[in-house]
Amino acid sequence: MALTNPRPLVIIFVFITAIGPTLSESAKIFTIVNYCKEMIWPAITNGANFTGGGFALKPGQSAVYTAPPTWSGRIWARTGCNFDKDGNGKCQTGSCGTLLNCTGPGSPPASIAEFSLNGTDFYDVSLVDGFNLPIVVKPSNGKGNCSTAGCDGDLRQSCPPELQAKAADGKVVACRSACDVFNTDEYCCRGMYSNPVTCLPTNYSRSFKQFCPQAYSFAYDDPTSIITCSEADYTLTFCGSR
């Protein structure tokens, strides 16, 4: 699915508060790359010291932005969006309300990269809210484990029929989670299932894990999914990397 464009157009965003350490002392650099064959609309959740956002990326484009060292939040891509000149509209998957510029979490289904930055960084890719695009997180120049997280394959192609999210033309645009579809305590890890002893893998989460072994498949999939690293910058690629 990767594009052949050797020099993707780079869009630079600087999202950082003016209060606190200087940019050179504190900046975490994130590079988001769209290798998909379609336009995507990446979204970033905001935080107490960081203004998130949303923007469009054409196939072959990259966006670079910086965040403070204590930011915790999510990055994902929306698909099938239609926004007007004022940034109002909606998306087929991953919507965060009706705005291009996200101010809150997105709606499932979406493949999500999660970060908690605070000296030692914790990061993962989660399919707990479903899957809409292949996504991979790669750290650079870090210390520690610093391994790759994510899912470079397209789970939509093997999604069980009962979990498929389809566009009006019948195309499968995402694979929903069992919690999103069936809304039961067992699938959603809530109620008597809201702890790691009773919340166990299901047939659906096992199929997700088999296809994407480096991603969260259910709420308590911590041991094989969370990665730690320090002093790293991060590249997020959608739809495969070369």
Side-chain angles (χ1 to χ4, degrees):
M1 297 179 67
L3 298 181
T4 58
N5 181 0
R7 294 181 178 271
L9 177 64
V10 177
I11 305 171
I12 298 177
F13 298 89
V14 177
F15 297 145
I16 192 166
T17 55
I19 301 173
T22 64
L23 182 64
S24 62
E25 294 172 338
S26 64
K28 284 284 187 178
I29 299 174
F30 289 79
T31 303
I32 302 174
V33 187
N34 179 15
Y35 287 123
C36 302
K37 297 179 181 179
E38 60 187 289
M39 181 178 289
I40 62 174
W41 289 261
I44 306 116
T45 55
N46 57 10
N49 59 350
F50 174 62
T51 301
F55 48 91
L57 274 186
K58 295 179 181 179
Q61 282 188 330
S62 298
V64 178
Y65 75 94
T66 60
T70 57
W71 174 65
S72 293
R74 294 176 159 194
I75 300 174
W76 71 99
R78 296 164 288 178
T79 64
C81 301
N82 185 12
F83 292 104
D84 63 23
K85 61 181 178 62
D86 297 317
N88 298 307
K90 58 183 180 179
C91 303
Q92 287 179 337
T93 70
S95 291
C96 45
T98 58
L99 299 176
L100 172 63
N101 188 37
C102 286
T103 58
S107 301
S111 319
I112 299 169
E114 301 177 309
F115 295 89
S116 180
L117 313 179
N118 191 9
T120 298
D121 301 340
F122 295 85
Y123 60 96
D124 66 82
V125 165
S126 174
L127 307 183
V128 175
D129 289 338
F131 177 101
N132 67 338
L133 287 175
I135 177 175
V136 170
V137 177
K138 294 184 178 180
S140 58
N141 303 318
K143 298 178 180 180
N145 181 356
C146 300
S147 56
T148 298
C151 184
D152 213 5
D154 195 342
L155 186 57
R156 293 172 296 184
Q157 297 177 2
S158 59
C159 183
E162 61 270 29
L163 301 186
Q164 292 177 359
K166 296 183 179 181
D169 61 1
K171 179 183 177 181
V172 178
V173 295
C175 191
R176 299 169 66 188
S177 69
C179 173
D180 189 32
V181 173
F182 303 113
N183 193 29
T184 66
D185 289 352
E186 179 181 5
Y187 286 130
C188 298
C189 290
R190 65 190 181 207
M192 66 175 293
Y193 297 96
S194 60
N195 64 77
V197 175
T198 57
C199 179
L200 301 174
T202 67
N203 288 338
Y204 292 114
S205 66
R206 288 190 189 97
S207 66
F208 278 33
K209 193 67 174 181
Q210 183 176 8
F211 194 87
C212 303
Q214 295 174 308
Y216 258 89
S217 59
F218 72 106
Y220 291 99
D221 195 12
D222 297 22
T224 60
S225 305
I226 293 181
I227 302 172
T228 59
C229 188
S230 60
E231 301 181 25
D233 295 318
Y234 297 94
T235 299
L236 286 77
T237 58
F238 290 95
C239 299
S241 58
R242 293 186 299 271

